[in-house]
Amino acid sequence: MSDDFWNKRASILQYHGELHRKKRQGQSIKRSTARTNDELYREAVEHTGHLSFSSLLRQYNIETKFANLTSNDILAATGIGVLGALTAVWTSALGRKVEPKLWANYDRNHPSDYFTGKDHRYPFGHDVLNINQKLPPGFIWRGRDVGGKSLIQMVNHAYPVSSGNPAAQALSSTTHLLVHWLRDFITPAGLPLPGSSRFTKWTKNVLNTCGYSSNNALMDTLGREFGTLHASDFTSIGLIKILNKGYITQQASIYSPDRFQIFDRQIKVISYGSCIIAQMAILMPIIIKDPQVRRKVDGAKLNLIMLGLFGKSVVDLMMLSEKEHQQILRNYEKSINTLLNSERSFEEWIKSLDS
């Protein structure tokens, strides 16, 4: 149906509402002589003026649109995301400076670093979900055959407790593992994805002092840019969460509870997305120019945890928007059925709105 039809209906509704109020107040009412809707509309315009359907809905605080972000909302959310990316860069740069001085003597000669080089964390010793990972048979470390030993056994041997107390040894080994992982966690290389060491393959190689070469198909493909966790991932997420909460809470009074949930997810989608894009913007030009240099750039990585939060916010937003859409359709259907009903039902609706 055309807008003209609904605008006429709105004008008639306003007219009937005015007649109903006068009747309740005991005022005399001139009986309508209209025989058709067009005649009734002209009579309504003569007495109460023309009223558009959208204006009628606004009078009764009936929302007809989805929650829309203002330009200030978009700018604020984007700015929060960019600040998150800058925080990641700062955290990585700070970690690069702090790590050499952080418990360096305590962490000396850690068995996790049996290899050196840029990718030595991928095969063994840095997977927080696989501390029982074992070295292949005949593996040589510091002149000893440690083949078949697990990471935790290696740490126990590297840092023995003089008392021989099992509980003290367990505490010492756990502490050494955590300290080593923490030091690696704040460096630009970070830690490999939890569980990724299960993709490690060992190949005998007499040219290496340990007797083996290794590769990890998953981490070799993802690289440090797309397959690691870093302290900067968490500092950027933490900052974005704090700033988002402050901004979203500040706007809470503007929205109904349902609309507020949508607004909340919209801001999160933009802020998380902006941070991810900003960090990728740091990385991509370097990849094109020199694939090797990119590994040394602070903050130039994909924040996998934030990517998950971004995806969750997108799904939540889709579900909330669909819920609101269905509610709007139900409200429209109810209103249309009422407006298309008899004049008596139409007047009853006016009375319910006026009560």
Side-chain angles (χ1 to χ4, degrees):
M1 295 182 181
S2 66
D3 290 341
D4 183 60
F5 172 84
W6 294 114
N7 290 336
K8 287 181 178 180
R9 280 290 186 178
S11 299
I12 294 170
L13 174 61
Q14 178 181 239
Y15 175 47
H16 280 166
E18 181 63 24
L19 293 178
H20 178 62
R21 279 187 286 272
K22 288 183 177 181
K23 185 177 180 180
R24 286 177 55 185
Q25 294 169 3
Q27 300 180 30
S28 60
I29 300 174
K30 182 180 178 181
R31 189 175 184 83
S32 174
T33 59
R35 300 294 181 183
T36 65
N37 279 331
D38 286 339
E39 291 177 356
L40 185 58
Y41 167 68
R42 287 192 290 271
E43 187 177 302
V45 171
E46 181 181 346
H47 287 82
T48 57
H50 174 78
L51 179 69
S52 67
F53 189 65
S54 59
S55 298
L56 173 69
L57 294 177
R58 284 195 294 270
Q59 283 185 11
Y60 292 101
N61 297 318
I62 300 174
E63 295 287 348
T64 60
K65 298 179 180 179
F66 295 121
N68 293 321
L69 295 178
T70 66
S71 57
N72 287 338
D73 293 332
I74 296 172
L75 183 62
T78 303
I80 290 172
V82 172
L83 286 175
L86 293 176
T87 300
V89 173
W90 174 80
T91 303
S92 180
L94 180 64
R96 188 195 297 271
K97 295 179 180 179
V98 170
E99 187 270 340
K101 306 172 185 177
L102 186 65
W103 296 310
N105 291 329
Y106 185 77
D107 192 44
R108 194 181 303 278
N109 297 322
H110 199 283
S112 291
D113 290 341
Y114 66 97
F115 279 156
T116 57
K118 58 185 175 60
D119 295 334
H120 77 277
R121 299 177 187 177
Y122 299 166
F124 180 82
H126 295 82
D127 186 345
V128 297
L129 293 184
N130 195 13
I131 62 173
N132 288 320
Q133 180 187 11
K134 295 182 178 180
L135 291 168
F139 192 96
I140 305 300
W141 179 67
R142 298 177 68 182
R144 295 177 55 253
D145 185 344
V146 293
K149 292 188 178 297
S150 67
L151 172 61
I152 194 66
Q153 289 175 317
M154 295 280 289
V155 174
N156 287 340
H157 179 79
Y159 306 106
V161 175
S162 57
S163 66
N165 184 291
Q169 182 63 65
L171 178 61
S172 173
S173 296
T174 300
T175 304
H176 276 91
L177 274 175
L178 293 177
V179 166
H180 185 78
W181 287 339
L182 175 61
R183 295 183 72 224
D184 286 348
F185 186 54
I186 64 175
T187 62
L191 291 173
L193 283 176
S196 62
S197 64
R198 299 186 184 279
F199 291 84
T200 296
K201 301 295 181 183
W202 301 97
T203 305
K204 283 188 173 294
N205 185 345
V206 296
L207 298 179
N208 289 336
T209 56
C210 66
Y212 281 88
S213 294
S214 65
N215 69 81
N216 186 300
L218 176 64
M219 291 304 302
D220 289 343
T221 300
L222 296 177
R224 301 181 186 183
E225 304 80 17
F226 302 99
T228 60
L229 300 179
H230 187 273
S232 63
D233 296 340
F234 294 87
T235 56
S236 58
I237 289 173
L239 179 72
I240 289 176
K241 280 183 173 290
I242 291 172
L243 295 180
N244 274 350
K245 184 175 181 180
Y247 185 79
I248 292 169
T249 302
Q250 187 181 22
Q251 307 297 319
S253 60
I254 302 175
Y255 298 94
S256 64
D258 290 340
R259 290 293 178 85
F260 180 71
Q261 290 187 60
I262 292 179
F263 175 73
D264 174 89
R265 299 315 190 279
Q266 288 175 322
I267 294 297
K268 288 178 179 177
V269 166
I270 295 174
S271 58
Y272 289 143
S274 298
C275 183
I276 292 171
I277 291 172
Q279 287 191 254
M280 289 297 95
I282 299 172
L283 173 63
M284 290 306 167
I286 304 168
I287 290 179
I288 296 172
K289 182 178 179 181
D290 188 340
Q292 298 304 318
V293 174
R294 74 182 191 269
R295 300 179 184 277
K296 302 177 183 178
V297 177
D298 294 315
K301 70 179 295 292
L302 176 63
N303 188 331
L304 295 171
I305 299 175
M306 188 178 295
L307 183 63
L309 293 173
F310 172 80
K312 181 181 182 301
S313 297
V314 169
V315 172
D316 287 347
L317 180 58
M318 292 174 60
M319 294 178 66
L320 290 169
S321 297
E322 176 62 19
K323 179 181 177 182
E324 185 184 42
H325 177 66
Q326 293 300 325
Q327 184 61 48
I328 289 175
L329 291 180
R330 286 193 292 270
N331 290 342
Y332 272 141
E333 184 177 3
K334 181 179 178 181
S335 297
I336 289 171
N337 289 337
T338 302
L339 291 171
L340 292 179
N341 210 330
S342 65
E343 292 299 326
R344 182 173 179 276
S345 297
F346 190 66
E347 290 181 351
E348 290 297 324
W349 187 43
I350 299 172
K351 294 176 183 179
S352 67
L353 291 174
D354 189 55
S355 59

